[in-house]
Amino acid sequence: MLSRIADSLFWIGRYLERAEDTCRIVEVHLHQRSDDPSSPGEAARNLLLLMGHETREDEPDVLDALCYNEQSPVSFLSALGSARESARRARETVPTEVWESINTTWLAMRGGRLQRMRPASMFKLVRERCAVIAGLADSTMSHDEGWLFLTLGRSIERIDMTSRLIATASLAGNTPRAWDHVLGGCGAHHAFLQRYGAVAADRDAAEFLILDRVFPRSLIYTLGTAVDALEHLGPAFQRIRPDDPASRLLGSAKATLEFLPAEEILLDLPEQMARLQVVCSQTTESISERYFEGSLAATWVGGAW
Amino acid sequence: MRALFDDYPPGEAFDEMVRTGGIRETAESVVSGMARLGLEELRGRAEYLRTTYIDQGITFDIGGEERPFPLDIVPRILRADEFAHVEQGSRQRVKALDAFLDDVYGEGRCFSEGVIPRHVVVTSPHFHRAMWGVNTPNGVRAHISGIDLVRGDDGVFRVLEDNVRSPSGVSYVMTNRRAISAALPEIAAQHRIRPVDDYPSELLKALRAAAPSGVADPTVVVLTPGVYNSAYFEHAMLARMMGVELVEGRDLVAHGGHVSLRTTRGLRPVHVIYRRIDDEFLDPAVFRADSMIGCAGLLNAARAGNVTIANAVGNGVADDKLVYSYMPDLIRFYLGEEPILASVDTWRLEEPEAREEVLDRLDELVVKPVDGSGGKGIVIGPRASQEELERLRRQILKDARGWIAQPVVQLSTVPTMIDGELRPRHVDLRPFIVNGGGDDIYVLPGGLTRVALPEGELVVNSSQGGGSKDTWVLAEHTPVHPQPAAPPPAVTQSVKMSEQVLSRVIRHQHEQQQQQSQGVTSC
């Protein structure tokens, strides 16, 4: 597979997941605002900071910055736009159905159409369209190298964003309501109740979202998917240890979480989640170095004409 | 029928569907199909076409903006015998063009025998000395060509120009067919339309046939300038439908006379490059050094015979409009045949008498730059202002080699949906020809019909606000005429399930028995 195409697929995976998760995070934020309407400006600034977007405004418009504004680098509209651009560049590799689905989604959300919807239905629309695209990709692509890159991108983004989502609970003071919203934001409310019942504590929620081995949006599960994808991409059998830094980074992050003593989970949770986000960015770097930057060769740097 | 064409204005030009006082026979069944739908329904279907093209991203770029390629709802109809003529003529022309290119970059017989002056060829801006003596593995240089045809008042197809560099538009032929079949299923189903879906496999076959000798399973790639190119959609679609990689210049590495792809598993050799990048940008080591979309060293690898570039570099000499005027002679010279397709009379402005005459009659002629494409630089005498003509006159006097003149050809018209009404608009036709070497030449049935959407406009290029039409070549058999009086024979009787099962069981037993008896005989 062409390095450039692999790169595009990886980023399609990341951007689509980013769009979906951004929308989930904003939704959780809005719920938490309605529970605790004090100091809305600070909450909004904190949220934007969490998404990696510093602002000097006193009361920033969260919906604008994270949803509608195509120019804002952290909005899901810009993530969708980037996904579409990547898909356009890899159009001969991306199945037609997936491309059309991405394209129609993007077209349907531009030009102020989202602003005219109620936020709740907008969130639902974005989540569902992202699920449709992901589902089409899973069922119309061969699960070969290209799909593995897509999955890898999606998993890494999901780890990154879920860790941010978990961190929002601490921003809201770790109240049970806050954890409820986070669970809901991860689409985990139902699964969580089935597992723990309605008498659960905040630690249980954190435990579930971080350590559950069978819930597909939990950190451990997603880390596992990413590690698997990397394993399939690499050489078949390794006797000592994975030969690429990406596998090692993800593997050790996974082990750290997995073998954490139960009582330490809530202990500096935001700190742990931040560490995970660093791992994600380091992993991306090493994947791109290994697979995307192309075999080293002389390149034409241009000349006078 | 009345409702559709009642107020159809009779144009000055030959209309392919409507004649004075009626509908041409060729188009009758299509027109009656449309009449049954009614104008209102037809408008709805046209709207459907527009939205599907946007959703599918079937667009072309103008200055970085993606626009849907306008597709008209009314198909253009060609009879089998009409197209057979075009097909034969295109085949002959491609053979002659190929022989000419091979000669120009080799022996040069056409010069020594005086068919075409040497200076005409070597002064062409697209003649590349660097290609001299570079042989192609199967002798083909024009692997893919598009020949632009127009139909005059007499209904005869004439060649307007040849495109043997990178003719584009074939993807729209395929998407147009799919879209029109979906938009007008009732009408499409009543006709036997020659299919256009074979194009990608014929193209791949020809590209593989052009691979360097000794390569059993050649790797073919499509080389695109990138996502901002106006024809990017087409590049991606062809690559996808052939099942090959679509690459950009930076995905390629040329080293030691070989070309490779940068993949996730290291370098992989490439054997055939279907390039959609102009010569000037293809290889910065030979041509423009500031090109960032090419790959340095490609031409060296081609010269070493390790990679085939399709279409070959330097083909532009054959597109030159001055060379065009020599084509009938060249066909006679190389093939010993009379040209099948007519040409448009052309004045060579290098010749003093011709130049005199043309300068006198500038206001009635069409003057074109010899190396222009996309309708750029064309001056249509009767519509030009005095200033434009004056500027043109100065340009001609300065650079006579750079221009040719032709009489105004009144392009034929076909009804086209304009603001919800059917109006005559001018069209041309570009058949696509894939040359696999020897007699293996495939002509895509139909080709791209481009239509000039502004009223009376004669320039049909998409970069100048042109649209397109689906082109239907009807197969030999007469179309199934709908007979409203006599209803079609009764619907196929459904066979009872029990009987179906029974017949299947019987057949199954029968097969077994055969196998057994075979087994017996072989024992």
Side-chain angles (χ1 to χ4, degrees):
Chain A
M1 155 156 284
L2 279 183
S3 302
R4 182 173 52 82
I5 297 294
D7 194 10
S8 288
L9 286 169
F10 178 81
W11 281 100
I12 293 172
R14 283 203 72 158
Y15 284 130
L16 284 177
E17 185 67 28
R18 183 173 301 174
E20 179 181 345
D21 294 349
T22 305
C23 148
R24 287 176 181 279
I25 288 178
V26 178
E27 200 176 6
V28 168
H29 170 80
L30 292 186
H31 284 310
Q32 279 166 354
R33 276 310 87 218
S34 58
D35 281 354
D36 174 18
S38 63
S39 61
E42 194 192 339
R45 274 201 306 280
N46 277 341
L47 178 70
L48 287 178
L49 200 61
L50 185 74
M51 299 299 288
H53 182 67
E54 223 168 326
T55 172
R56 268 187 226 106
E57 288 171 63
D58 276 346
E59 237 177 88
D61 183 352
V62 171
L63 278 178
D64 184 70
L66 294 180
C67 305
Y68 308 138
N69 191 345
E70 220 176 318
Q71 310 307 324
S72 159
V74 289
S75 74
F76 65 66
L77 201 55
S78 95
L80 269 178
S82 310
R84 178 191 181 259
E85 199 52 30
S86 297
R88 199 154 95 86
R89 279 154 194 271
R91 213 165 140 176
E92 81 291 356
T93 318
V94 175
T96 323
E97 289 182 40
V98 176
W99 154 252
E100 280 184 23
S101 174
I102 295 175
N103 195 33
T104 42
T105 305
W106 185 70
L107 290 173
M109 295 187 182
R110 295 184 71 207
R113 289 189 190 79
L114 288 177
Q115 282 91 323
R116 287 196 287 277
M117 300 174 81
R118 293 214 336 260
S121 39
M122 167 180 87
F123 294 137
K124 183 158 175 282
L125 176 74
V126 175
R127 275 203 317 266
E128 285 183 354
R129 289 306 304 177
C130 289
V132 166
I133 298 168
L136 279 174
D138 282 351
S139 59
T140 58
M141 282 176 89
S142 296
H143 288 200
D144 59 2
E145 221 185 339
W147 181 80
L148 285 170
F149 277 112
L150 189 83
T151 310
L152 189 57
R154 184 158 69 199
S155 311
I156 289 179
E157 187 69 27
R158 188 174 288 179
I159 297 166
D160 185 286
M161 293 300 261
T162 307
S163 74
R164 287 172 209 259
L165 195 55
I166 290 173
T168 58
S170 324
L171 287 182
N174 270 331
T175 60
R177 285 287 288 167
W179 277 105
D180 245 18
H181 293 316
V182 171
L183 281 171
C186 287
H189 209 258
H190 178 76
F192 176 75
L193 282 184
Q194 277 194 326
R195 167 72 183 77
Y196 289 85
V199 288
D202 52 352
R203 202 187 76 194
D204 294 335
E207 191 179 78
F208 182 76
L209 287 178
I210 297 172
L211 293 177
D212 195 276
R213 284 177 205 274
V214 287
F215 182 68
R217 296 191 79 90
S218 81
L219 288 176
I220 286 296
Y221 187 97
T222 318
L223 278 163
T225 318
V227 170
D228 277 354
L230 272 174
E231 224 164 72
H232 280 99
L233 284 170
F237 173 71
Q238 286 145 342
R239 230 168 133 165
I240 305 287
R241 68 167 79 79
D243 67 338
D244 71 324
S247 289
R248 289 202 294 275
L249 280 164
L250 287 179
S252 77
K254 185 176 174 221
T256 312
L257 287 179
E258 205 159 19
F259 300 112
L260 205 64
E263 59 276 10
E264 284 179 29
I265 283 183
L266 281 180
L267 215 62
D268 53 280
L269 193 60
E271 191 54 38
Q272 291 224 35
M273 294 298 111
R275 266 205 296 280
L276 208 49
Q277 286 151 30
V278 173
V279 167
C280 286
S281 93
Q282 285 172 340
T283 310
T284 306
E285 246 169 63
S286 85
I287 290 171
S288 103
E289 195 173 307
R290 175 171 177 152
Y291 292 106
F292 307 151
E293 279 168 20
S295 326
L296 290 178
T299 34
W300 187 264
V301 291
W305 178 259
Chain B
M1 210 170 298
R2 289 279 84 83
L4 283 186
F5 289 106
D6 262 357
D7 58 345
Y8 190 74
E12 292 157 28
F14 174 82
D15 193 281
E16 295 186 15
M17 268 196 175
V18 182
R19 62 184 160 78
T20 12
I23 304 296
R24 281 181 206 282
E25 203 187 332
T26 325
E28 237 167 33
S29 56
V30 173
V31 170
S32 63
M34 289 195 303
R36 235 170 304 143
L37 291 176
L39 192 58
E40 205 43 55
E41 178 66 20
L42 217 51
R43 285 179 191 144
R45 308 264 175 120
E47 179 56 28
Y48 160 81
L49 274 185
R50 212 181 57 79
T51 50
T52 50
Y53 263 35
I54 295 181
D55 283 352
Q56 291 173 17
I58 301 177
T59 54
F60 66 99
D61 269 45
I62 294 183
E65 188 198 342
E66 287 172 56
R67 296 196 198 165
F69 192 52
L71 165 62
D72 185 57
I73 185 80
V74 185
R76 179 198 202 173
I77 321 292
L78 294 176
R79 280 199 317 269
D81 60 312
E82 281 175 332
F83 191 71
H85 175 75
V86 169
E87 192 169 346
Q88 277 173 2
S90 310
R91 238 186 225 129
Q92 178 196 49
R93 204 161 170 100
V94 166
K95 266 190 197 167
L97 284 167
D98 227 15
F100 169 64
L101 286 169
D102 222 35
D103 199 19
V104 164
Y105 291 109
E107 234 182 316
R109 280 199 306 134
C110 56
F111 307 134
S112 52
E113 311 247 337
V115 188
I116 182 171
R118 187 185 292 268
H119 77 266
V120 167
V121 170
V122 298
T123 54
S124 166
H126 299 296
F127 174 79
H128 291 305
R129 199 173 295 279
M131 276 305 284
W132 194 85
V134 177
N135 290 314
T136 50
N138 62 344
V140 176
R141 282 172 193 271
H143 304 83
I144 297 97
S145 24
I147 295 180
D148 287 356
L149 301 173
V150 295
R151 225 170 168 185
D153 289 338
D154 46 4
V156 172
F157 280 106
R158 288 190 171 75
V159 179
L160 197 62
E161 59 183 63
D162 302 297
N163 296 283
V164 288
R165 278 175 284 172
S166 322
S168 67
V170 71
S171 56
Y172 301 121
V173 176
M174 289 180 276
T175 55
N176 285 358
R177 176 61 50 81
R178 228 170 293 154
I180 290 287
S181 310
L184 298 174
E186 309 88 342
I187 302 177
Q190 276 167 5
H191 296 82
R192 293 168 54 95
I193 308 164
R194 288 185 59 192
V196 293
D197 308 337
D198 297 339
Y199 185 83
S201 68
E202 292 289 337
L203 178 58
L204 184 60
K205 213 165 73 187
L207 290 173
R208 288 175 65 104
S213 54
V215 181
D217 186 15
T219 302
V220 178
V221 298
V222 178
L223 176 59
T224 171
V227 71
Y228 296 112
N229 185 267
S230 60
Y232 178 75
F233 164 76
E234 171 157 318
H235 307 159
M237 177 169 175
L238 287 176
R240 196 181 67 223
M241 297 192 67
M242 288 195 288
V244 305
E245 303 274 14
L246 177 68
V247 306
E248 292 176 16
R250 57 194 159 122
D251 298 325
L252 295 174
V253 188
H255 186 66
H258 291 266
V259 181
S260 314
L261 282 179
R262 299 171 200 242
T263 75
T264 49
R265 288 162 204 267
L267 296 177
R268 206 179 97 206
V270 176
H271 306 105
V272 183
I273 300 175
Y274 175 28
R275 52 88 177 219
R276 298 293 298 260
I277 296 182
D278 290 345
D279 288 355
E280 287 74 21
F281 294 94
L282 192 58
D283 185 342
V286 181
F287 303 115
R288 291 181 61 138
D290 62 345
S291 164
M292 302 303 286
I293 54 175
C295 168
L298 270 192
L299 218 58
N300 247 344
R303 193 178 286 121
N306 294 323
V307 72
T308 306
I309 300 176
N311 288 347
V313 175
N315 275 8
V317 274
D319 289 4
D320 190 294
K321 295 200 177 65
L322 188 54
V323 172
Y324 161 88
S325 68
Y326 291 91
M327 268 318 283
D329 293 336
L330 289 168
I331 291 176
R332 291 185 199 104
F333 175 65
Y334 288 114
L335 306 178
E337 299 168 5
E338 276 303 306
I340 298 174
L341 288 173
S343 304
V344 179
D345 299 333
T346 304
W347 282 272
R348 300 168 184 153
L349 299 182
E350 277 187 316
E351 296 167 4
E353 311 90 75
R355 188 164 60 229
E356 287 294 307
E357 188 187 343
V358 168
L359 288 178
D360 281 346
R361 297 173 50 196
L362 268 190
D363 54 340
E364 25 183 308
L365 299 175
V366 180
V367 181
K368 302 175 178 176
V370 291
D371 60 338
S373 64
K376 273 179 240 150
I378 293 181
V379 179
I380 299 175
R383 305 210 180 150
S385 67
Q386 208 53 46
E387 281 164 61
E388 281 174 302
L389 290 181
E390 214 30 62
R391 199 174 334 125
L392 180 66
R393 185 185 305 273
R394 281 199 301 277
Q395 278 170 326
I396 291 176
L397 287 172
K398 208 167 84 192
D399 174 24
R401 167 67 179 88
W403 300 84
I404 53 124
Q406 290 173 340
V408 179
V409 182
Q410 195 61 259
L411 273 59
S412 57
T413 58
V414 176
T416 302
M417 177 81 80
I418 304 284
D419 299 328
E421 305 289 336
L422 293 174
R423 290 287 172 267
R425 287 294 180 266
H426 294 290
V427 294
D428 77 344
L429 179 68
R430 175 181 282 185
F432 289 90
I433 302 104
V434 176
N435 186 352
D439 282 327
D440 187 10
I441 298 179
Y442 167 79
V443 183
L444 180 69
L448 182 65
T449 292
R450 293 180 299 181
V451 40
L453 296 178
E455 189 171 358
E457 178 62 59
L458 289 171
V459 179
V460 294
N461 300 78
S462 49
S463 45
Q464 314 251 338
S468 74
K469 280 175 169 294
D470 190 15
T471 316
W472 290 3
V473 176
L474 301 181
E476 286 294 352
H477 307 272
T478 44
V480 191
H481 278 295
Q483 300 281 339
V491 200
T492 345
Q493 292 257 297
S494 59
V495 181
K496 278 196 205 121
M497 197 56 185
S498 55
E499 288 171 25
Q500 281 187 15
V501 172
L502 197 68
S503 76
R504 227 174 288 157
V505 171
I506 293 170
R507 199 169 63 227
H508 190 62
Q509 283 173 342
H510 184 62
E511 278 165 1
Q512 268 188 340
Q513 276 171 347
Q514 270 191 335
Q515 275 167 5
Q516 275 172 355
S517 64
Q518 274 170 1
V520 171
T521 44
S522 69
C523 281

